[in-house]
Amino acid sequence: MSSLNSTSSVHLRPQLRHFINGEFVASAKTFRNISPVDGKHIADVCEADANNVDAAVKAAQAALHGPWGRMAVSERAAMLHKIADGIQARFDEFVAAEVADTGRPVHQARTLDVARGIANFRTFADLAKTANTDLFQSESADGLGALNYTVRKPLGVVGIISPWNLPLLLFTWKVAPALACGNTVVAKPSEESPSSATLLAEVIRDAGVPPGVFNLIHGFGGNSAGEFLTRHPDIDAITFTGESKTGSTIMKAVADGMKEVSFELGGKNAAVVFADADFDAAVAGVMRSSFTNSGQVCLCSERVYVERSIFDRFVAAMKEKTQALKIGYPAEDNVDMGPLISHGHRDKVLSYYRLAVEEGATVVAGGGIPTFNDERDDGAYVQPTIWTGLPDDARCVTEEIFGPVCHIAPFDREDEVIGRINDSDYGLTCAIWTSDLKRAHRVAPQIEAGLVWVNTWYLRDLRTPFGGVKQSGLGREGGRYSLDFYSEVTNICIKL
Ligand SMILES: NC(=O)c1ccc[n+]([C@@H]2O[C@H](COP(=O)([O-])OP(=O)(O)OC[C@H]3O[C@@H](n4cnc5c(N)ncnc54)[C@H](O)[C@@H]3O)[C@@H](O)[C@H]2O)c1
Ligand SMILES: O=C/C=C/C=C(\O)C(=O)O
């Protein structure tokens, strides 16, 4: 087997441990990390018990009152840049870690996942240095006036729980601003993608971050590390990215302690293509928004609405490009798509492939499992899939599938399609394809979503607010929105 075609050539750690109070710590219970490319066992991962989580929270609490708690913002920012430098210096190892856990194309791990891990630390290091506070010159009854100003302080110990679909990107999207604002953290990556977070712990240690500031625990959700973390009385806030139903469970777990929460949850995003759109750009854009990362991006468009006059032409173009997608090993040249994250997730996606047929879909492309006649047949691959012909209330058109699949439906009027897009329990993103500038500015604000892209998809400026409405999230992160969530503010009024 050439190293190009297997993750086995990647240097993988036999056991992934927790990182608590500046030390790597093992625990008796472990679980297996399985490659989604070929089903092979690639590492054993320690599963944190309640005592491990308690030790991590206590270390984080203590670190708040140590050198970290007394550190100037500029010093903290310099430390975050050192972490970014450390990721840069071990770039290929981080790529290997992401690819080993997820089977994604190497070029994606390089250009998106690891690159954004670095960018997340640098962005919030710089934002923290320029974070402003409020100052008001206030009137008073005696005419002498008063000054009102705010000071920002850390929240305290922040619990971070992240998903498997963009492991390093989403883990650092939370860790970076939390540390930039002077908090200490106890962070749990997904059980499906433990490797890059473990490598990050080494980089954070080597950057000289004081012990206890960053703590890493591995494990699952309910009745495991995730729940032990959310229920811990000394956690001051929880920031979570994952499924909407998990968000609801976590909200119940933290309710008694009145903890602050930031939730980035599921979606059933739409793309809408008007007849006046740049046709080729729209096809390319919807291909990206449907099949990037095997459709395992919360921003992906599983619902596509196309103006009737170009519907048949658009479907035909999408079918041709979808059937031409190269599905393969992570390191293969020009590979477009890897496997799903796990056999369990593949079973979920395949159950929707079957359901779609039962609900009356026309399967335009895909709908099954690719055959490789090699070890990849033991992986978690599915075919990229396109459906048409389903009613708007079909489960495959309303429920998040989180795989490489989209349903394309025709529409006739602008007001009609806006109503259909908004008729969803979710509200994360929408992509609008039109050449009519007035239409873009008219339609975009009417979409019930946190993010709307026009003639593009997943173009990110990290200073902008990121998050969803309805079942897609609570709050916003990004830019000053992260500074606001990861800080407490005190307003001080001085009588003149
Ligand atoms: N809005 C966003 O920015 C965004 C980004 C990425 C993924 N997502 C969503 O995440 C989902 C896919 O990720 P996933 O399968 O890892 O989600 P998930 O909810 O199953 O798990 C996410 C994380 O939560 C932990 N967890 C699960 N149950 C828990 C509990 N009871 N208490 C504490 N922690 C618990 C898991 O161990 C994991 O680390 C999709 O729905 C996707 O839309 C949203
Ligand atoms: O799968 C969801 C992707 C989320 C992406 C971000 O949070 C980001 O780009 O900052």
Side-chain angles (χ1 to χ4, degrees):
M1 172 69 58
S2 90
S3 62
L4 267 185
N5 292 340
S6 162
T7 54
S8 63
S9 64
V10 168
H11 168 65
L12 300 172
R13 281 156 177 66
Q15 188 181 65
L16 301 183
R17 293 171 293 165
H18 318 298
F19 184 73
I20 298 173
N21 202 24
E23 302 287 337
F24 281 97
V25 174
S27 48
K29 212 171 168 190
T30 63
F31 58 94
R32 292 156 63 87
N33 191 12
I34 302 296
S35 164
V37 170
D38 54 19
K40 289 191 174 72
H41 172 211
I42 55 178
D44 289 318
V45 189
C46 294
E47 180 181 355
D49 60 19
N51 293 328
N52 296 128
V53 174
D54 187 53
V57 174
K58 284 191 167 44
Q61 268 188 311
L64 282 173
H65 307 294
W68 182 255
R70 297 189 294 274
M71 201 176 280
V73 175
S74 55
E75 218 183 328
R76 255 195 341 252
M79 210 149 254
L80 265 67
H81 276 297
K82 273 189 77 176
I83 294 169
D85 296 342
I87 299 172
Q88 186 69 55
R90 301 179 68 174
F91 198 96
D92 292 345
E93 288 182 73
F94 277 94
V95 169
E98 292 289 70
V99 168
D101 284 355
T102 66
R104 69 194 43 200
V106 168
H107 63 77
Q108 180 198 314
R110 299 192 72 83
T111 57
L112 177 62
D113 301 86
V114 181
R116 270 293 305 278
I118 294 167
N120 287 346
F121 277 104
R122 296 207 192 286
T123 297
F124 289 106
D126 295 342
L127 276 172
K129 282 191 293 188
T130 58
N132 66 317
T133 55
D134 302 312
L135 169 70
F136 297 97
Q137 291 177 288
S138 312
E139 295 177 3
S140 60
D142 61 9
L144 299 178
L147 284 182
N148 275 281
Y149 68 96
T150 55
V151 292
R152 281 182 189 278
K153 294 177 282 188
L155 277 174
V157 178
V158 176
I160 296 174
I161 300 173
S162 61
W164 49 258
N165 62 304
L166 297 172
L168 188 69
L169 187 157
L170 290 166
F171 189 73
T172 56
W173 180 240
K174 310 274 188 186
V175 170
L179 295 183
C181 294
N183 300 288
T184 57
V185 304
V186 180
K188 191 197 83 68
S190 170
E191 56 277 17
E192 303 284 2
S193 55
S195 300
S196 56
T198 308
L199 209 48
L200 180 67
E202 289 181 15
V203 166
I204 288 175
R205 176 199 61 195
D206 298 347
V209 175
V213 172
F214 171 84
N215 301 278
L216 172 73
I217 52 171
H218 290 296
F220 302 85
N223 197 31
S224 184
E227 183 172 355
F228 300 150
L229 182 59
T230 57
R231 290 189 179 281
H232 197 291
D234 297 330
I235 283 287
D236 296 301
I238 288 286
T239 180
F240 164 74
T241 299
E243 290 196 16
S244 301
K245 65 178 180 356
T246 308
S248 173
T249 303
I250 291 173
M251 203 164 190
K252 292 183 189 116
V254 302
D256 292 345
M258 294 293 286
K259 306 295 168 77
E260 299 214 38
V261 294
S262 170
F263 284 164
E264 297 183 318
L265 305 176
K268 189 68 176 184
N269 309 306
V272 53
V273 183
F274 289 93
D276 62 20
D278 175 328
F279 185 86
D280 294 340
V283 170
V286 175
M287 283 297 294
R288 275 189 66 229
S289 67
S290 299
F291 303 120
T292 295
N293 199 37
S294 304
Q296 299 168 126
V297 182
C298 60
L299 312 167
C300 278
S301 47
E302 294 186 0
R303 296 185 287 156
V304 182
Y305 300 94
V306 177
E307 196 160 3
R308 196 175 298 276
S309 60
I310 61 165
F311 178 77
D312 291 342
R313 183 176 160 222
F314 190 88
V315 171
M318 284 287 292
K319 174 180 180 178
E320 182 188 351
K321 286 189 176 294
T322 302
Q323 291 177 334
L325 286 174
K326 182 175 181 182
I327 310 168
Y329 284 109
E332 274 186 275
D333 290 340
N334 308 315
V335 64
D336 295 304
M337 234 181 73
L340 297 176
I341 187 67
S342 67
H343 290 101
H345 186 56
R346 182 174 74 167
D347 292 344
K348 170 187 170 184
V349 172
L350 290 175
S351 73
Y352 280 100
Y353 283 16
R354 292 189 294 274
L355 175 64
V357 175
E358 291 162 15
E359 292 190 309
T362 298
V363 182
V364 173
I369 297 173
T371 304
F372 298 102
N373 296 318
D374 60 32
E375 59 185 353
R376 287 171 296 177
D377 291 337
D378 296 327
Y381 290 86
V382 296
Q383 291 173 326
T385 295
I386 297 174
W387 301 314
T388 57
L390 287 174
D392 285 356
D393 63 355
R395 286 184 52 204
C396 290
V397 182
T398 55
E399 296 175 13
E400 179 182 61
I401 300 168
F402 216 54
V405 59
C406 66
H407 177 260
I408 310 177
F411 72 89
D412 298 298
R413 298 186 328 279
E414 184 180 293
D415 62 317
E416 167 214 339
V417 75
I418 290 169
R420 293 169 70 184
I421 290 169
N422 289 339
D423 183 17
S424 171
D425 293 338
Y426 295 104
L428 189 53
T429 74
C430 179
I432 301 171
W433 298 90
T434 177
S435 298
D436 179 339
L437 195 55
K438 283 178 71 176
R439 185 203 305 276
H441 287 296
R442 183 173 61 242
V443 173
Q446 296 181 68
I447 302 296
E448 293 169 1
L451 299 95
V452 177
W453 282 291
V454 176
N455 296 330
T456 187
W457 176 74
Y458 202 14
L459 192 161
R460 289 276 289 116
D461 180 326
L462 306 187
R463 296 167 298 180
T464 58
F466 183 100
V469 302
K470 298 192 265 187
Q471 293 290 317
S472 290
L474 270 182
R476 295 292 184 276
E477 295 197 34
R480 64 173 174 79
Y481 298 84
S482 294
L483 302 186
D484 290 346
F485 174 72
Y486 290 105
S487 308
E488 281 295 5
V489 288
T490 298
N491 183 76
I492 299 162
C493 177
I494 305 281
K495 184 72 185 68
L496 301 179

